[in-house]
């Protein structure tokens, strides 16, 4: 039986990934597409366009929300009240306090919800989680994580997607947009404690949270952590390095490399690289099985809380 999906918001770089998954999964079907700016609806799905978000929600079994951040709380609440399971881009709201209010409303409706945090779906990270649980790297010493791409250089945020570079509508800039993924990836590794950030320095002096990138310092599992995130670095990519007393684990793209012992040959496990579509596939699998993560949107809220704690003192 087909699963009808409504897409709310069409001017986000990951919309192409959403549509790619909907096209590749035989039981998924785009029932409706809506955007407050009708010109943002891609020509390829113009036949599914509707004039009201309520209409799109009513036509669907589930909802994917890629709309600008300032619109997400109202759209999430509408979908939840209609009983439609939802996948929401991060951040869920302009602030963590607003995001917590959205979570309370969704909890009240008992509607399943998931955040579009795709790094936690990376197979190499799951492998690294096992390495850390088994203490194969010994006592941890330091962690660094990087997620960068050249989107600001290549025009990703022009035209209908310009809202992403406007902190008044997006809530975050390039650093915040990507750092949320890194914070969630560290939290998903779940060693001893979630990541906590103490300070952030943005790439451009005075740019504040609307900057294209930055670097943050904090702690995770009792050791120093450094995060680097930017929309203005070429080539782009993802890397997470965990240094320990007995060795080092490095996830680069989809490959996990372990180096243990002086002069030892690295051990490598090669898996799929990061893919924004994996969040959509996980959502679809939850719809099929009717089994959703119990924490709902809370991982996105926790990541936003950690980010805001650092930005306040920047």
């Amino acid at each position: 039986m087909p699963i009808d999906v409504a897409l709310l918001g069409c001017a986000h770089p990951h919309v192409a990934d959403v549509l790619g998954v909907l096209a590749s999964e035989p039981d998924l079907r785009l029932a409706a597409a809506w955007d407050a700016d009708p010109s943002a609806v891609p020509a390829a799905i113009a036949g599914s366009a509707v004039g009201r978000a309520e209409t799109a929600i009513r036509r669907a079994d589930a909802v994917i929300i890629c709309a600008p951040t300032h619109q997400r709380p109202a759209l999430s609440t509408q979908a939840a009240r209609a009983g439609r399971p939802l996948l929401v881009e991060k951040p869920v709201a302009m602030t963590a306090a607003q995001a917590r209010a959205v979570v309370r409303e969704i909890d009240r409706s008992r509607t399943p919800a998931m955040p579009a945090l795709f790094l936690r779906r990376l197979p190499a990270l799951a492998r690294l989680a096992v390495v850390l649980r088994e203490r194969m790297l010994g006592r941890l010493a330091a962690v660094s994580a990087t997620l960068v791409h050249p989107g600001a250089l290549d025009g990703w945020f022009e035209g209908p997607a310009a809202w992403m570079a406007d902190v008044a509508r997006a809530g975050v800039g390039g650093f915040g947009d990507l750092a949320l993924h890194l914070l969630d990836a560290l939290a998903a590794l779940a060693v001893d404690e979630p990541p906590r950030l103490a300070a952030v320095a943005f790439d451009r002096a005075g740019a504040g949270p609307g900057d294209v990138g930055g670097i943050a310092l904090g702690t995770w599992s009792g050791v120093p952590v450094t995060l680097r995130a930017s929309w203005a670095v070429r080539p782009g990519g993802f890397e997470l390095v965990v240094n320990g007393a007995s060795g080092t684990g490095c996830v680069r793209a989809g490959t996990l490399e372990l180096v243990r012992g002086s002069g030892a040959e690295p051990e490598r496990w090669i898996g799929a690289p990061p893919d924004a579509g994996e969040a959509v596939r996980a959502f679809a699998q939850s719809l099929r099985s009717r089994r959703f993560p119990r924490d709902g949107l809370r991982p996105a809220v926790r990541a936003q809380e950690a980010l805001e704690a650092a930005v306040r003192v920047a």
Side-chain angles (χ1 to χ4, degrees):
M1 183 175 178
I3 301 172
D4 288 332
V5 177
L7 174 62
L8 305 183
C10 299
H12 190 289
H14 290 162
V15 165
D17 300 290
V18 172
L19 296 178
V21 173
L22 295 182
S24 65
E25 301 284 335
D27 61 340
L28 300 182
R29 183 169 61 189
L30 181 64
W34 171 88
D35 196 286
D37 175 7
S39 68
V41 180
I45 60 171
S48 300
V50 296
R52 291 167 56 85
E54 294 87 344
T55 304
I57 293 169
R58 191 167 57 248
R59 290 184 181 181
D61 301 311
V63 172
I64 297 177
I65 300 174
C66 295
T69 308
H70 71 289
Q71 297 175 3
R72 290 173 194 166
L75 294 172
S76 298
T77 299
Q78 282 181 268
R81 288 176 177 170
R84 302 311 194 262
L86 56 149
L87 177 72
V88 190
E89 266 296 343
K90 50 77 193 118
V92 173
M94 296 289 286
T95 68
Q98 293 171 356
R100 287 192 294 270
V102 172
V103 169
R104 286 195 296 271
E105 187 62 32
I106 292 174
D107 285 348
R108 191 174 295 117
S109 72
R110 298 187 178 182
T111 303
M114 294 173 61
L117 291 166
F118 61 86
L119 276 188
R120 61 168 45 223
R121 309 294 171 187
L122 192 63
L125 274 185
R127 291 263 177 165
L128 178 59
V130 174
V131 168
L132 296 176
R133 280 199 304 273
E134 297 298 323
R135 308 290 182 182
M136 295 169 64
L137 301 181
R139 183 182 179 87
L140 300 187
V143 179
S144 66
T146 300
L147 183 61
V148 296
H149 64 62
L153 306 176
D154 292 348
W156 293 10
F157 312 121
E158 298 173 0
W163 66 268
M164 288 195 67
D166 177 5
V167 72
R169 291 183 287 170
V172 294
F175 174 76
D177 177 59
L178 299 180
L180 289 171
H181 282 297
L182 295 176
L183 287 163
D184 180 66
L186 289 171
L189 288 175
V191 180
D192 293 316
E193 64 180 54
R196 304 179 189 277
L197 299 184
V200 58
F202 296 108
D203 285 351
R204 298 174 298 181
D211 202 351
V212 295
I215 188 167
L217 301 176
T219 60
W220 174 75
S221 194
V223 301
V225 63
T226 304
L227 303 186
R228 179 77 176 96
S230 177
W231 284 343
V233 173
R234 185 181 285 117
F238 166 67
E239 181 181 86
L240 190 149
V241 180
V242 180
N243 300 116
S246 302
T248 294
C250 175
V251 174
R252 184 176 292 111
T255 298
L256 170 62
E257 181 175 281
L258 300 179
V259 179
R260 294 184 290 168
S262 178
E265 285 293 318
E267 305 169 47
R268 291 187 179 88
W269 182 87
I270 300 174
D275 177 3
E278 285 305 308
V280 184
R281 294 186 185 95
F283 181 56
Q285 185 54 38
S286 291
L287 290 170
R288 295 182 188 108
S289 66
R290 299 186 180 181
R291 294 182 179 179
F292 290 84
R294 291 185 177 181
D295 51 1
L297 297 179
R298 286 177 179 79
V301 177
R302 288 192 289 266
Q304 191 168 4
E305 288 171 340
L307 176 65
E308 287 183 1
V311 170
R312 276 196 297 269
V313 297

